[in-house]
Amino acid sequence: MTTQQQFYKSLKTLLDKMQLLDQAEMQTKLADFKPAEVHTIQYIGQHIGANVTAIAAGMYVTRGAVSKMTKRLIRRELIEKYQSAENKKRGLFSADGSWSKSLRTA
């Protein structure tokens, strides 16, 4: 085994151990969140200004499912909805970061 292969094997072992240690902590912090909520918030955070159609297409779910999920997240004040400057009918979403603060305080 070459030095590079040994390094990669050691690095993989280290990363696996770190993931195992973080797993218990993340499970307690995310206990109040459903997996779909976490994925939706993550998608909105990565795609600034996404609308229901774009989120549905990106997550491979129906627009109705996205609409229901975003209403729930807005009610919990985890995301915000605003209107496009060009098209007042188009509702866009943004993750304002309050969800990440709630994860840190949990």
Side-chain angles (χ1 to χ4, degrees):
M1 187 179 282
T2 67
T3 308
Q4 186 178 14
Q5 289 173 329
Q6 287 176 337
F7 172 75
Y8 285 136
K9 185 176 180 179
S10 298
L11 181 62
K12 183 182 180 328
T13 303
L14 176 66
L15 291 174
D16 288 344
K17 288 180 181 180
M18 287 175 59
Q19 183 180 12
L20 215 82
L21 293 172
D22 287 342
Q23 185 177 11
E25 182 181 349
M26 288 305 290
Q27 283 178 342
T28 57
K29 288 183 177 182
L30 294 175
D32 296 338
F33 297 96
K34 295 179 182 175
E37 293 173 337
V38 174
H39 292 293
T40 304
I41 292 169
Q42 182 180 16
Y43 188 89
I44 291 171
Q46 292 174 346
H47 300 86
I48 308 294
N51 64 357
V52 171
T53 305
I55 296 169
M59 295 180 61
Y60 301 103
V61 295
T62 63
R63 290 182 306 188
V66 172
S67 179
K68 186 175 180 180
M69 180 64 64
T70 54
K71 285 179 185 176
R72 184 182 315 147
L73 294 173
I74 290 170
R75 217 176 21 249
R76 291 177 68 180
E77 298 179 356
L78 299 172
I79 63 171
E80 295 176 338
K81 184 176 181 177
Y82 62 96
Q83 292 180 336
S84 170
E86 301 89 39
N87 184 351
K88 297 293 181 189
K89 289 184 179 180
R90 187 174 180 196
L92 306 174
F93 299 97
S94 70
D96 62 358
S98 64
W99 65 276
S100 60
K101 292 175 192 168
S102 68
L103 287 180
R104 281 187 234 122
T105 58

